[in-house]
DNA sequence: ATGGCTGAGCTACTCAGA
């Protein structure tokens, strides 16, 4: 089973890039973030032509998450946590993975900048509520895959110049501690599990030639619960979509799991 | 280097992103 996560920065502005990538990479399930559109304007018909069902939690202009899947995803839900600002940031569902009922959690974590504003408080509160809910979830089901745009740089190795990010909402220690707290509940950052010292990124700014200079961040992650760790075959960051014309500022991360 | 791009909504400009 191939599961891919990608922050596409608008599904409609990016539709041609997404379709050609889907055709090339052939995922079983694709987690999308920042679709930036309401459900009724999501291009479900285009994806249907390529053999995918769409499960959408949209919002006008901002945020929005969705699953594309070759097969049916069960118990799809848009209310994993109570979002105080009612932003569309989490969609969940269930599939059978190696005969185990497995929960899929697709997230778009708030950015949190600037740090001296209510946006940063929102990010902290959001993470607090999310972790609390994951704890609860683990009591019922220990097979969980969380993936998406976490807007968290886990460690110094995960950014081109960590000193520039020390006071940034993506790298502040109290945010990284939240990420560690989540992992310590019983998850693995799969990219780092397979690549102990490799320096790769999933995001590059649009401006100032960040892509050309490889000034990037690793902020898109796959967290797989301990129970499923032995099922994981591979993980890779596919940089090709970021090099195309009219790219998203994020690039996909691809998981192979039995 | 707190914004030098980019997108949405809208049709002039603001808000948001990370």
């Amino acid at each position: 089973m191939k599961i891919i996560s990608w922050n596409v920065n608008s599904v409609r502005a990016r539709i041609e890039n997404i379709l050609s990538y889907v055709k090339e990479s052939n995922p079983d399930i694709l987690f999308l973030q920042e679709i930036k559109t309401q459900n009724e304007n999501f291009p479900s018909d285009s994806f249907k032509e390529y053999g995918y069902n769409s499960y959408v939690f949209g919002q006008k202009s901002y945020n929005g998450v969705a699953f594309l899947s070759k097969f049916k995803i069960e118990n799809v839900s848009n209310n994993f946590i109570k979002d105080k600002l009612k932003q569309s940031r989490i969609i969940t569902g269930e599939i059978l993975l190696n005969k185990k009922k497995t929960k899929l959690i697709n997230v778009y974590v708030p950015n949190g900048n600037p740090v001296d504003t209510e946006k940063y408080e929102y990010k902290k509160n959001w993470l607090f509520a999310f972790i609390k809910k994951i704890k609860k979830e683990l009591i019922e089901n220990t097979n969980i895959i969380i993936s998406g745009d976490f807007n968290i740089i886990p460690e110094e190795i995960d950014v081109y110049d960590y000193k520039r990010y020390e006071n940034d909402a993506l790298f502040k220690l109290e945010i990284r501690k939240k990420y560690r707290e989540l992992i310590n509940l019983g998850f693995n950052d799969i990219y780092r599990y397979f690549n102990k010292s490799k320096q790769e990124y999933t995001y590059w700014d649009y401006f100032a030639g960040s892509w050309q200079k490889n000034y990037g961040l690793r902020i898109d992650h796959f967290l797989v619960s301990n129970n499923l760790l032995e099922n994981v075959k591979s993980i890779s960051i596919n940089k090709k979509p970021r090099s195309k014309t009219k790219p998203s500022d994020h690039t996909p991360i691809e998981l192979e799991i039995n």
Side-chain angles (χ1 to χ4, degrees), chain A residues 152-197:
Chain A
I152 299 174
I153 301 163
E155 303 293 341
E156 292 173 2
I157 189 177
D158 297 309
V159 53
Y160 68 99
D161 180 358
Y162 71 89
K163 288 203 178 298
R164 287 188 186 189
Y165 284 83
E166 273 172 346
N167 204 30
D168 189 285
L170 279 68
F171 191 62
K172 273 182 80 75
L173 192 54
E174 66 177 341
I175 296 296
R176 292 158 58 202
K177 280 183 173 171
K178 288 281 181 207
Y179 187 72
R180 293 174 197 169
E181 187 185 339
L182 176 60
I183 283 174
N184 288 339
L185 296 177
F187 293 90
N188 303 273
D189 177 339
I190 294 299
Y191 176 82
R192 192 51 74 210
Y193 181 84
F194 281 100
N195 303 282
K196 298 294 184 213
S197 59

Side-chain angles (χ1 to χ4, degrees), chain A residues 184-214:
Chain A
N184 288 339
L185 296 177
F187 293 90
N188 303 273
D189 177 339
I190 294 299
Y191 176 82
R192 192 51 74 210
Y193 181 84
F194 281 100
N195 303 282
K196 298 294 184 213
S197 59
K198 206 166 171 184
Q199 196 155 17
E200 282 191 300
Y201 309 124
T202 63
Y203 166 89
W204 297 258
D205 243 325
Y206 282 124
F207 33 67
S210 295
W211 166 248
Q212 288 76 10
K213 290 187 281 195
N214 196 28

Side-chain angles (χ1 to χ4, degrees), chain A residues 6 20 29 35 37 46 101 143 167 175-176 193:
Chain A
W6 190 12
S20 75
I29 305 175
I35 59 172
T37 189
S46 304
K101 191 174 95 175
N143 307 314
N167 204 30
I175 296 296
R176 292 158 58 202
Y193 181 84

Side-chain angles (χ1 to χ4, degrees), chain A residues 10-110:
Chain A
S10 171
V11 69
R12 288 183 294 166
R14 210 77 56 215
I15 187 65
E16 292 310 321
N17 296 36
I18 298 170
L19 289 173
S20 75
Y21 171 71
V22 162
K23 198 171 178 182
E24 204 177 296
S25 62
N26 193 28
D28 295 289
I29 305 175
L30 183 55
F31 291 25
L32 299 177
Q33 302 90 35
E34 270 205 280
I35 59 172
K36 289 187 170 178
T37 189
Q38 299 164 99
N39 289 19
E40 52 266 42
N41 294 327
F42 189 87
S44 303
D45 293 346
S46 304
F47 293 123
K48 195 76 208 173
E49 282 175 31
Y50 280 65
Y52 290 85
N53 301 310
S54 297
Y55 303 89
V56 186
F57 183 26
Q59 181 184 332
K60 196 174 180 178
S61 302
Y62 307 116
N63 313 309
V65 287
F67 291 122
L68 303 183
S69 178
K70 284 184 177 173
F71 49 84
K72 192 169 188 298
I73 298 179
E74 306 287 346
N75 299 321
V76 172
S77 168
N78 295 339
N79 43 29
F80 190 68
I81 64 168
K82 196 175 164 192
D83 191 307
K84 283 176 183 159
L85 300 183
K86 298 193 185 304
Q87 298 185 346
S88 304
R89 295 183 173 277
I90 309 179
I91 186 168
T92 64
E94 283 169 1
I95 59 164
L96 278 180
L97 200 63
N98 206 9
K99 293 174 186 167
K100 295 181 205 169
K101 191 174 95 175
T102 300
K103 184 110 180 177
L104 304 179
I105 303 175
N106 176 5
V107 299
Y108 175 46
V109 178

Side-chain angles (χ1 to χ4, degrees), chain A residues 105-146:
Chain A
I105 303 175
N106 176 5
V107 299
Y108 175 46
V109 178
N111 176 299
N113 281 312
V115 293
D116 56 351
T117 66
E118 70 286 347
K119 292 187 179 188
Y120 186 64
E121 293 305 311
Y122 171 59
K123 182 179 195 174
K124 281 198 292 184
N125 292 334
W126 193 98
L127 286 168
F128 181 85
F130 183 72
I131 289 168
K132 192 172 159 189
K133 181 64 194 254
I134 293 291
K135 275 183 202 166
K136 217 170 167 183
E137 192 68 35
L138 280 165
I139 297 166
E140 292 167 30
N141 186 356
T142 47
N143 307 314
I144 301 179
I145 297 173
I146 311 171

